[in-house]
Amino acid sequence: MLGRAAEALVGLCLRAAAPVVAVALIGGALCGFYAATHAAIDTDTDHLISHDLPWRQREKALDAAFPQNADLLAVVIDGATAGAAEDAAARLADWARGRKDLFKSVQQPGGGPFFKRNGLLFLSVAELQEVSDHLIAAQPMLGALAADPSLRGLFSSIDLAVEGIRHGDIAADALAAPLTALAEAVESSLAGQPRPLAWEKLLGGRAPEPRELRRFILVQPVLDYSALEPAAKAREAIRAAARDFALTPEHGVRIRLTGSVAVSDEQFASLRHGAVLTTSISLALVCLILFLALRSWRIIAAILATLLAGLAATAAFAFAAVGELNLISVAFAVLFIGIAVDFSIQFSIRYRDERHRSGELGAAIRRAAGGIGGALALAGGATAVGFFSFVPTAYSGVSELGLIAGTSMVIALVLNLTLLPALLKLLHPPGEPEPVGYAWAAGLDAFLLRHRRGIIGAAGTAAIAGIALLPLWPFDFDPLDLNDPHAESMATLFDLMKDPSTTPYTIDILAPSLADAESGATRLAALPEVADVVTAASFVPDEQQQKLAIIGDAALLLGPSLSPPQVATPPDDAADLAAIAASARNLRTIAAPSGRAPAARLAAALEKLARRGAAALPPLRANIVAAIGPRLDDLRQSLSAAPVTLETLPEELRRAWLTADGRARIEVFPKGNARDHDVLRRFVAAVRQVAPEATGSPVTILESGETVLGAFIRAGLIAVGAITLLLWAVLRRLRDVLFVLLPLVLAGLLTAATCVLAGLPLNYANIIALPLLLGIGVAFDIYFVMRWRAGLAEPLQSSTARAVLFSALTTATAFGSLALSSHPGTAEMGTLLTLSLFYTLLCTLFVLPALLGPVKRA
């Protein structure tokens, strides 16, 4: 019945070929124009999953309470010294606050005036006492520098220290670290390398901890979701500002960008990288395969015109029905081309076969429609039903894709039974002197029939093995694994993960009040899966009375030295050189008898610098003198610490942790490697036992994975059920329905088993291969089953086998090129698509004929 209806429709189109082509092509052009003028892509990954889910509601509540903490771009600043990092962060933050056109908010975690003044209060009492002792011991040097902030003042203070060593007032080892720090700065200046003096070594006698050399700025950029990289303007502006301010590695500062916004932007950039070349190669190969399959550029032209008209119509429907496409629904074009080209190849090769048999163009086209039209209609309907099954899922990205792809199958079917035959009539391809099938496959046909029981047994064994391995096929819940690990944002993120205090895998909890937050924090901190818990109260130091007393004592002793009544006039080059030469001589007096390395090293560097003269002073001043003023200012501020309460916290800091109505945020840090899925799952489960309302990236990762996986499982079950009902309605025999479905199931199991053995997990990207496997697999099987029901034997020698083979090759070429992408997620999607297509073809060509067995002739 379907075949006769298709033949009648094609006959009608042949009689009015020119009007049909004109209407279709004009309609396609209009649809293309509509799509081009209404095209919009929403690159916000937050919109891929329904906001109605409970865990998404908790995310929204947290974002609404603390909107400045959403969609952040993290600026990571590493300095050669802590001062260099602090100065760079302050300068960039001040600049960013003035760019309201680019940034909605700017935060400096652990930085800014509040922490400059009160940072010492966050040390333990023992640590603070040690710092205070070092500062008091350095009082002579500090006083000299405050009174004369120049090279002359610095090296004069070194001379005083050397005198102290000679008289036994200062232990020689106490100067080892300061002299080494100075030697490094002088040697770098001689080599023409910017290397700011490490003041921690000079004054504290210790090397700074790695985290002391790092500062952060969190900016909330103005995002343009109509662009492929929504934060591109903000990111480029930050890089340009860093260059303008000389915040570069050459000047002892490294600026890197990371955070969710930067990761997303670079992900889209890597998707685009090389896409033009890859697509061009793919299209060239597809055209070559089409020529090998069809042997006529006229037929190929007809197919390409049909594809373009269908793609334009589908795009117009997509933008009209959905509006803005998301990052998954935009893949409708890939699915359309992959399956619609199969319809075109099936029809065209069947036409070639009939043309060889009859010779007359019109009759061949009509007979092709009668022979393949029913199978195409059933395949198109089954594929459309399969895609429509994804519409009711909570995974919004795939839901939209299902609606568009399902509709596109109807469009493809209609055009392949109307426009394609009309184009063939008008283009009038030459006759077919040679048979279209594969006569050489006669032996294979006979082999499959002769050994069908063995083949079915082997297929059954493979299916059992696939079922056994299926539960071992993991789903990679971590979206970071889909990104290029060498991209700056990802490399920086992995670097931050080495420090537990800067991991992005933290859980956020919105508590009704600060008291509730503190109570919850106490319970959470007791969990073995938790490393640390932070609330607003964490920024009120403990033991303040004792700490303020220590700071007060230090300020009393150091205050006069740090604020001299007058500051010396800046020296000229001759005065600085004289001070340097004198210091070198003095250092030799303590280096020669004992061979002390730091003193000898610095003396040698100073002697070399003195020989070079005034030309060597500018880089030395840049490395040393430029930071004296800012560092002394920092020290004065730190010695003016005052009692800290919740009320005295800076407004910016309070807003990050407390809402205007009194609600409070809790941040929970995991213990162990949170990138380990088991560690992450245990961490989330433990925190949820205490706080079921927990949210944050670990919760999002796990819940997103469950949502996506659940959506595909439910949609897959609905699709199989709906396709089964459709096949039953048309085929009317359960056995024939099973003939269509069993090879598809086997292909899926073999794909899963191979992925398990090869260590290729499912993830957010390659799971898109499953709908394609369903669509193409059902279509291929239907072609052979319908042919078998029509009483046609020798399937592998037929034009159907040729059509299926070249259709698979065309699709594999188009999608296999994705495996060459520099983007790991896209590459894995291409790999899984190619693998699933291979098994689909294997099961269709070799397992299905064995299942069908010999044709029962009437």
Side-chain angles (χ1 to χ4, degrees):
M1 182 177 67
L2 289 176
R4 290 195 297 272
E7 186 173 359
L9 176 61
V10 168
L12 180 64
C13 292
L14 292 179
R15 289 192 293 274
V20 168
V21 170
V23 169
L25 295 184
I26 292 172
L30 292 174
C31 287
F33 176 78
Y34 177 88
T37 54
H38 291 76
I41 298 177
D42 180 4
T43 56
D44 189 353
T45 55
D46 186 56
H47 294 163
L48 294 180
I49 296 179
S50 171
H51 285 268
D52 296 328
L53 296 170
W55 62 273
R56 294 304 308 274
Q57 291 293 314
R58 291 192 289 272
E59 277 187 345
K60 286 178 63 178
L62 184 72
D63 289 344
F66 300 98
Q68 74 276 19
N69 292 344
D71 297 325
L72 293 177
L73 184 62
V75 185
V76 182
I77 303 162
D78 293 299
T81 66
E86 180 64 33
D87 292 344
R91 189 161 191 187
L92 264 184
D94 287 344
W95 165 82
R97 290 188 179 98
R99 293 299 306 269
K100 302 295 185 183
D101 58 319
L102 293 175
F103 307 108
K104 293 185 282 188
S105 70
V106 180
Q107 304 174 52
Q108 262 184 283
F114 172 78
F115 286 99
K116 276 189 176 183
R117 183 181 185 189
N118 300 297
L120 293 177
L121 292 174
F122 292 91
L123 300 175
S124 68
V125 171
E127 290 171 334
L128 177 57
Q129 187 64 64
E130 184 180 358
V131 169
S132 176
D133 292 343
H134 278 298
L135 290 174
I136 292 171
Q139 182 180 20
M141 180 181 290
L142 290 170
L145 289 173
D148 187 1
S150 65
L151 292 176
R152 179 184 62 192
L154 174 62
F155 288 110
S156 295
S157 69
I158 295 296
D159 293 342
L160 290 175
V162 170
E163 282 294 316
I165 291 176
R166 285 207 297 258
H167 291 114
D169 298 329
I170 300 175
D173 290 343
L175 274 188
L179 294 182
T180 300
L182 273 173
E184 290 171 348
V186 175
E187 289 167 350
S188 297
S189 301
L190 290 169
Q193 299 171 349
R195 182 168 182 161
L197 176 63
W199 288 89
E200 297 82 3
K201 277 188 178 182
L202 185 67
L203 300 178
R206 64 175 182 85
E209 297 288 336
R211 69 175 60 182
E212 294 179 271
L213 303 177
R214 178 169 288 168
R215 296 291 186 272
F216 298 93
I217 304 173
L218 300 179
V219 298
Q220 190 177 49
V222 175
L223 300 176
D224 177 12
Y225 285 117
S226 65
L228 189 61
E229 299 175 49
K233 289 182 180 178
R235 290 165 56 228
E236 286 306 314
I238 291 172
R239 297 192 192 284
R243 290 191 297 268
D244 293 342
F245 299 150
L247 304 180
T248 61
E250 295 77 20
H251 295 86
V253 177
R254 179 170 63 155
I255 305 291
R256 294 179 292 171
L257 303 180
T258 187
S260 59
V261 171
V263 169
S264 295
D265 272 13
E266 290 192 341
Q267 176 183 356
F268 301 143
S270 66
L271 284 169
R272 185 176 55 191
H273 178 68
V276 174
L277 177 61
T278 304
T279 303
S280 300
I281 294 173
S282 175
L283 285 174
L285 290 174
V286 166
C287 290
L288 176 61
I289 292 171
L290 284 174
F291 179 76
L292 293 175
L294 302 170
R295 303 291 183 177
S296 169
W297 290 112
R298 296 183 187 182
I299 300 178
I300 293 173
I303 290 177
L304 293 179
T306 303
L307 280 177
L308 289 175
L311 188 59
T314 301
F317 169 79
F319 292 118
V322 176
E324 289 185 333
L325 301 185
N326 58 52
L327 292 171
I328 292 179
S329 59
V330 74
F332 78 87
V334 176
L335 292 177
F336 175 83
I337 293 172
I339 299 177
V341 76
D342 169 63
F343 294 170
S344 296
I345 290 174
Q346 292 292 336
F347 189 96
S348 299
I349 288 184
R350 187 58 179 261
Y351 149 75
R352 288 188 62 208
D353 189 32
E354 296 295 342
R355 185 74 184 275
H356 170 71
R357 297 173 187 275
S358 68
E360 199 275 317
L361 176 65
I365 296 174
R366 284 191 295 274
R367 291 181 62 182
I372 195 67
L376 282 182
L378 183 56
T383 306
V385 167
F387 284 134
F388 283 136
S389 300
F390 287 85
V391 173
T393 67
Y395 192 12
S396 305
V398 172
S399 175
E400 291 181 8
L401 178 63
L403 174 65
I404 298 168
T407 305
S408 76
M409 293 301 97
V410 177
I411 293 171
L413 178 63
V414 170
L415 289 178
N416 275 284
L417 292 178
T418 55
L419 176 59
L420 180 59
L423 283 169
L424 291 175
K425 172 73 178 296
L426 295 180
L427 293 175
H428 206 290
E432 300 288 344
E434 301 293 333
V436 176
Y438 296 124
W440 53 263
L444 278 176
D445 278 327
F447 177 86
L448 293 177
L449 287 179
R450 194 165 54 247
H451 300 282
R452 61 187 300 252
R453 290 188 177 182
I455 294 171
I456 293 172
T461 303
I464 292 171
I467 292 171
L469 289 172
L470 187 59
L472 303 179
W473 195 10
F475 186 90
D476 185 353
F477 289 83
D478 194 343
L480 294 182
D481 291 334
L482 302 181
N483 300 314
D484 181 1
H486 304 295
E488 180 192 67
S489 61
M490 288 302 302
T492 305
L493 203 57
F494 290 142
D495 187 20
L496 295 179
M497 288 178 191
K498 296 174 184 176
D499 184 347
S501 66
T502 55
T503 177
Y505 293 99
T506 59
I507 286 179
D508 287 307
I509 300 162
L510 187 59
S513 67
L514 181 58
D516 291 313
E518 291 184 60
S519 173
T522 301
R523 297 196 305 275
L524 290 165
L527 296 173
E529 295 83 3
V530 171
D532 193 17
V533 183
V534 179
T535 68
S538 303
F539 298 95
V540 180
D542 55 8
E543 301 180 290
Q544 289 192 52
Q545 186 174 356
Q546 189 175 354
K547 293 176 183 178
L548 287 169
I550 296 173
I551 294 172
D553 291 342
L556 188 63
L557 292 170
L558 296 173
S561 299
L562 292 173
S563 302
Q566 71 179 74
V567 178
T569 303
D572 57 16
D573 291 348
D576 276 343
L577 287 171
I580 289 169
S583 189
R585 289 192 299 271
N586 286 328
L587 287 166
R588 285 297 182 190
T589 65
I590 64 169
S594 61
R596 294 188 183 96
R601 178 182 176 185
L602 178 56
L606 292 177
E607 289 165 351
K608 186 175 181 180
L609 189 141
R611 287 193 297 270
R612 290 192 181 181
L617 291 178
L620 185 62
R621 287 174 179 146
N623 277 355
I624 295 177
V625 177
I628 291 177
R631 298 294 75 79
L632 290 175
D633 286 341
D634 290 347
L635 183 54
R636 293 184 190 102
Q637 287 190 61
S638 68
L639 294 177
S640 65
V644 176
T645 65
L646 283 171
E647 289 70 27
T648 62
L649 292 178
E651 185 59 28
E652 177 184 288
L653 185 57
R654 287 178 57 84
R655 285 201 309 270
W657 296 93
L658 298 170
T659 65
D661 59 5
R663 288 175 295 166
R665 181 167 71 94
I666 308 172
E667 187 170 17
V668 190
F669 291 78
K671 185 177 291 183
N673 178 17
R675 295 209 68 214
D676 183 310
H677 186 258
D678 291 333
V679 171
L680 193 69
R681 188 178 288 279
R682 287 195 298 269
F683 172 56
V684 171
V687 172
R688 278 180 156 177
Q689 288 293 318
V690 176
E693 70 279 13
T695 184
S697 60
V699 176
T700 298
I701 287 171
L702 294 181
E703 290 285 8
S704 296
E706 296 289 351
T707 300
V708 171
L709 198 56
F712 272 90
I713 291 174
R714 285 190 295 274
L717 293 175
I718 294 172
V720 171
I723 290 172
T724 300
L725 290 175
L726 177 62
L727 292 173
W728 170 258
V730 176
L731 301 178
R732 298 292 183 178
R733 286 203 295 263
L734 178 61
R735 182 189 61 176
D736 293 356
V737 173
L738 292 176
F739 284 157
V740 172
L741 296 178
L742 288 177
L744 177 62
V745 172
L746 178 60
L749 291 172
L750 290 174
T751 299
T754 303
C755 289
V756 171
L757 296 176
L760 180 65
L762 271 176
N763 56 46
Y764 296 102
N766 63 21
I767 199 171
I768 303 300
L770 300 184
L772 183 68
L773 169 66
L774 180 67
I776 290 182
V778 165
F780 285 0
D781 293 345
I782 285 174
Y783 301 144
F784 277 99
V785 170
M786 295 290 280
R787 187 180 187 282
W788 178 79
R789 282 167 58 97
L792 300 174
E794 302 170 339
L796 298 188
Q797 301 173 61
S798 68
S799 60
T800 301
R802 181 187 182 93
V804 165
L805 176 62
F806 278 99
S807 176
L809 288 175
T810 303
T811 306
T813 300
F815 297 152
S817 63
L818 297 175
L820 303 176
S821 172
S822 60
H823 182 261
T826 304
E828 289 187 14
M829 179 167 65
T831 300
L832 188 55
L833 282 167
T834 304
L835 185 63
S836 63
L837 196 59
F838 167 75
Y839 281 122
T840 299
L841 189 62
L842 180 72
C843 294
T844 298
L845 292 181
F846 299 106
V847 177
L848 181 56
L851 280 173
L852 294 173
V855 170
K856 295 180 180 179
R857 303 185 185 278

